[in-house]
């Protein structure tokens, strides 16, 4: 595996997935979305998010008026589909962990979508890292420190890029400021997919 770059404690592999691997992953994600359709989430404060969302795995991350949390089923009631094998292989290869992730959160960004600065802290154990895979259009990722007021820096995430947020960076603030819509031809209608793999650790998963 190529040596990663380091950015604010994140490990970063630009272009880790080649065009064929990206296309194969999109095909696997079409099956995920067919089983568990993308939906438009709402924050606990009642604000609609601009990204559409679904999950694969034992647990899915959801948000609605009842709060941010992990659930065993899609809002429609269907079980989340399994995490694609190629995604699990990346997780194990890059993290070196035997433990499988519980959740693969799938975020879809259409034209104009973004994600506010946040920490990922709905999991039970922050000693496990979060692995992020970007597909499709380029997106401006902003990353700071563990304090909301820490200075931030920005980088353009491109299709096939992979980031690992662990150690001191596990609780770093981060977000997506904007997209260069249609900067990639991976998705015929344009847009961006981001996958984040998480260990939720509320109970052991099979690995
Ligand atoms: C995104 N990523 O790239 C949003 N979270 O669309 C995240 O929120 C993220 O890249 C945890 C770890 C890595 C990430
Ligand atoms: Fe995040």
């Amino acid at each position: 595996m190529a040596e990663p770059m380091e950015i604010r404690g994140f490990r970063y592999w630009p272009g880790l997935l080649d065009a064929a691997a990206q296309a194969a992953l999109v095909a696997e994600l079409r099956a995920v979305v067919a089983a568990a359709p993308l939906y438009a989430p709402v924050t606990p404060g009642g604000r609609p998010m601009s990204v559409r969302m679904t999950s694969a795995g034992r647990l899915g991350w959801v948000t609605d008026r009842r709060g941010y949390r992990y659930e065993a089923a899609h809002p429609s009631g269907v079980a989340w589909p399994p995490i694609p094998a190629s995604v699990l292989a990346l997780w194990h290869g890059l993290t070196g962990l035997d433990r499988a992730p519980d959740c693969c959160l799938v975020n879809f960004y259409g034209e104009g979508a973004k994600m506010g600065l946040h920490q990922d802290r709905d999991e039970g154990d922050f000693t496990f890292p979060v692995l992020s895979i970007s597909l499709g259009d380029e997106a401006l990722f902003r990353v700071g420190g563990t304090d909301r007021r820490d200075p931030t820096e920005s980088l353009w995430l491109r299709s096939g890029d992979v980031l690992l947020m662990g150690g001191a960076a596990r609780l770093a603030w981060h977000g997506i400021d904007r997209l260069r819509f249609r900067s990639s031809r991976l998705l015929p209608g344009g847009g961006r997919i981001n996958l984040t793999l998480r260990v939720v650790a509320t109970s052991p998963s099979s690995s």
Side-chain angles (χ1 to χ4, degrees):
M1 199 67 72
E3 277 304 307
M5 296 173 55
E6 213 213 276
I7 293 173
R8 298 296 286 259
F10 283 66
R11 279 195 275 167
Y12 177 43
W13 291 265
L16 183 67
L17 303 180
D18 65 16
Q22 293 170 38
L25 189 42
V26 169
E28 291 187 287
L29 293 172
R30 289 199 194 288
V32 167
V33 168
L38 291 165
Y39 60 93
V42 173
T43 67
R47 286 172 53 110
M49 292 181 70
S50 57
V51 302
R52 289 189 294 145
M53 213 170 260
T54 189
S55 288
R58 187 174 73 83
L59 294 169
W61 187 84
V62 300
T63 171
D64 58 22
R65 296 305 295 244
R66 292 165 48 212
Y68 299 131
R69 63 197 183 279
Y70 284 91
E71 291 278 2
H74 183 274
S76 68
V78 300
W80 305 107
I83 299 175
S86 61
V87 175
L88 290 176
L90 260 185
W91 164 271
H92 292 295
L94 295 181
T95 66
L97 293 170
D98 290 329
R99 174 74 150 87
D102 299 305
C103 173
C104 173
L105 175 63
V106 181
N107 284 149
F108 177 78
Y109 296 71
E111 189 168 13
K114 56 192 176 169
M115 184 170 295
L117 217 56
H118 67 276
Q119 292 173 297
D120 286 47
R121 53 179 316 144
D122 300 317
E123 301 74 32
D125 186 342
F126 303 134
T127 63
F128 290 101
V130 176
L131 185 72
S132 154
I133 304 167
S134 293
L135 295 167
D137 290 340
E138 298 172 8
L140 188 60
F141 182 72
R142 181 196 292 266
V143 53
T146 52
D147 188 310
R148 183 83 163 78
R149 296 160 300 185
D150 288 339
T152 63
E153 58 192 283
S154 297
L155 68 147
W156 284 95
L157 292 179
R158 296 187 172 82
S159 199
D161 288 1
V162 178
L163 269 177
L164 186 65
M165 197 168 84
R170 175 63 181 77
L171 290 173
W173 287 82
H174 59 279
I176 295 290
D177 288 341
R178 62 196 155 90
L179 221 63
R180 280 184 182 136
F181 189 64
R182 290 197 183 280
S183 53
S184 157
R185 289 199 218 156
L186 183 67
L187 305 174
R192 171 175 186 262
I193 297 168
N194 176 258
L195 306 178
T196 44
L197 292 150
R198 300 107 186 282
V199 169
V200 179
T202 51
S203 74
S205 77
S206 55
S207 54

